[in-house]
Amino acid sequence: MQKLTSPFQKKPFTAITVQIDRLASEQYDGDDMTGIVDLIEVIRLQGEGPTEAARAIRKKLKYGSVHKQLRALTILDGLIENAGPRFQRAFADEPLLERLRVAASDSVSDPEVKKKCSVLFRQWAASYSNTPGMERIAALHRQLPQRKKPARQSSSRVLKESEPGEHEDPFGHSVSVSGGGSPMQNLRTPSSSSTSPTNPLSASTSTSTGPSLTPYAHPFTKPSKPHKKSKPPKPFNLEKEKPQLLQTIASSSVASTNLMNSLKLINRESKRVSEDADTVKRFETCKLLRRQVLRYIQYVESEQWLGSLIHANEGLVEALMAYEVLDKDLRDDSDSVAEEEEEEEE
């Protein structure tokens, strides 16, 4: 059987990959076993059939939509149960096992996928603990990812970008939500806040205070520093800030949920997360809202509001970290790297 090769894929693929692509599509319900028998016949015709099937299923688990991930688990379960001893002894390579561990436990993984993994892992443990070649599959229910390093907040680029700057207004007025606009519209222009007249820092630097600030000063004369006589920031007034604080908390919850939902809908087999305009817009909104939330956390002392702000921050952090983790090119595949290392050792 002739093998085909995609320009972006080092590994060859045949009718096995084509059939798994089709069986994982939206035309099949999550637990539909239709087509598994035909797939088994194709796998039996090829010497590397089990290995190729495992690779195709792993790709669906890593890059597919939630539906495709659920379908990949159904296909794998159907093959384990019906493809026979040859398949059971050969398919369970380390890249697939690791992807199953990640799908079952990673914070980015969808709850439905985690739930299905949990059910299947317990089922496989009960059914195949004494089956030759299935020992590692049967042990999945008590394992965590081994190769994948958990994403650390301290080293996250996007979280650093979403922290408030040193010169931003501490009470959140640098990103105004006044004027009758919606929170999402007004929270998209942090750069304009630096020149907004409501910002005391920008007002003090944009207003000329003497000859030393004029562009016609003598080129060899060191301009004197402007006198810092700007009014100090007003003390934080919770009652005055309460409407905007409530709006920020509500907007944060909506924004983080919208970003997470948007990430689930992207087909990462065909494009990167950062190539989707709507997702990027929601990502930027979450960053701006997090700056606002962190500024409030710094100054609010009331436990009544502090808990809500911390919860809002946690939701935004989860969504931002998910974006950073999932924004990875299909060709930059850590599982494939592990796979290639194993082949080199052989």
Side-chain angles (χ1 to χ4, degrees):
M1 185 175 295
Q2 184 179 4
K3 293 185 178 181
L4 307 174
T5 304
S6 166
F8 300 113
Q9 187 171 345
K10 294 181 180 179
K11 301 294 182 181
F13 65 94
T14 63
I16 295 174
T17 303
V18 174
Q19 286 212 33
I20 289 176
D21 285 346
R22 180 176 58 82
L23 292 175
S25 65
E26 299 290 337
Q27 71 183 86
Y28 293 89
D29 293 333
D31 295 322
D32 190 351
M33 286 289 184
T34 303
I36 296 296
V37 173
D38 293 334
L39 176 60
I40 291 172
E41 292 302 317
V42 176
I43 291 173
R44 287 174 177 170
L45 292 174
Q46 299 187 37
E48 296 183 359
T51 302
E52 186 180 342
R55 185 183 301 119
I57 289 171
R58 174 172 61 82
K59 293 292 184 180
K60 297 300 175 191
L61 288 172
K62 183 166 186 178
Y63 295 106
S65 63
V66 173
H67 178 79
K68 289 186 177 182
Q69 292 176 52
L70 294 172
R71 287 294 301 152
L73 291 169
T74 297
I75 295 167
L76 178 58
D77 186 43
L79 291 175
I80 290 174
E81 186 174 347
N82 299 289
R86 173 176 169 260
F87 179 87
Q88 292 177 345
R89 288 193 300 268
F91 84 97
D93 55 21
E94 181 55 31
L96 175 60
L97 291 170
E98 179 66 358
R99 182 47 44 187
L100 288 167
R101 298 183 196 112
V102 170
S105 61
D106 195 89
S107 60
V108 178
S109 187
D110 186 84
E112 288 187 58
V113 176
K114 287 183 178 180
K115 181 178 179 181
K116 184 156 188 170
C117 284
S118 177
V119 171
L120 288 177
F121 288 3
R122 291 197 300 269
Q123 176 183 311
W124 294 340
S127 302
Y128 303 111
S129 58
N130 297 319
T131 303
M134 292 289 289
E135 295 84 1
R136 292 195 293 175
I137 285 289
L140 281 173
H141 70 289
R142 59 175 184 267
Q143 295 179 349
L144 292 174
Q146 298 174 7
R147 292 179 181 267
K148 186 179 185 297
K149 296 180 180 180
R152 295 181 180 178
Q153 295 185 18
S154 59
S155 60
S156 170
R157 176 182 57 83
V158 299
L159 293 189
K160 291 177 181 178
E161 292 175 355
S162 63
E163 293 174 356
E166 295 180 3
H167 301 296
E168 290 186 37
D169 188 298
F171 299 148
H173 295 301
S174 59
V175 185
S176 174
V177 291
S178 62
S182 67
M184 296 303 176
Q185 292 173 335
N186 293 319
L187 289 166
R188 288 177 185 160
T189 55
S191 59
S192 63
S193 65
S194 61
T195 58
S196 171
T198 59
N199 190 328
L201 290 169
S202 62
S204 64
T205 57
S206 63
T207 304
S208 178
T209 59
S212 60
L213 296 181
T214 176
Y216 304 106
H218 193 281
F220 300 103
T221 302
K222 185 177 181 180
S224 60
K225 294 182 180 179
H227 297 290
K228 296 183 178 180
K229 292 184 178 180
S230 58
K231 295 180 180 180
K234 295 179 180 180
F236 180 74
N237 187 324
L238 179 58
E239 290 302 317
K240 184 178 179 181
E241 296 289 333
K242 190 178 295 183
Q244 186 173 343
L245 185 147
L246 286 168
Q247 193 175 46
T248 299
I249 292 173
S251 297
S252 298
S253 177
V254 173
S256 57
T257 300
N258 285 345
L259 179 55
M260 292 296 288
N261 289 339
S262 183
L263 291 171
K264 293 176 184 179
L265 295 176
I266 295 176
N267 182 6
R268 295 172 61 227
E269 293 177 296
S270 59
K271 68 177 177 180
R272 293 182 61 170
V273 167
S274 56
E275 294 173 347
D276 186 81
D278 289 338
T279 302
V280 171
K281 186 181 294 184
R282 290 170 177 173
F283 167 68
E284 294 296 335
T285 299
C286 284
K287 288 203 299 183
L288 295 173
L289 280 163
R290 184 167 183 260
R291 292 193 192 109
Q292 191 89 337
V293 168
L294 290 178
R295 285 196 294 269
Y296 277 122
I297 288 176
Q298 186 177 358
Y299 288 93
V300 169
E301 296 180 356
S302 170
E303 293 184 3
Q304 175 186 358
W305 300 109
L306 197 55
S308 298
L309 287 167
I310 292 173
H311 181 72
N313 179 59
E314 289 173 349
L316 291 168
V317 166
E318 181 182 2
L320 291 169
M321 292 287 289
Y323 178 97
E324 186 174 41
V325 170
L326 294 176
D327 185 29
K328 195 170 187 180
D329 196 307
L330 178 61
R331 289 166 285 184
D332 184 16
D333 186 344
S334 60
D335 292 342
S336 293
V337 171
E339 193 176 52
E340 290 166 6
E341 288 175 354
E342 290 184 353
E343 290 178 353
E344 288 176 0
E345 291 175 359
E346 294 174 1

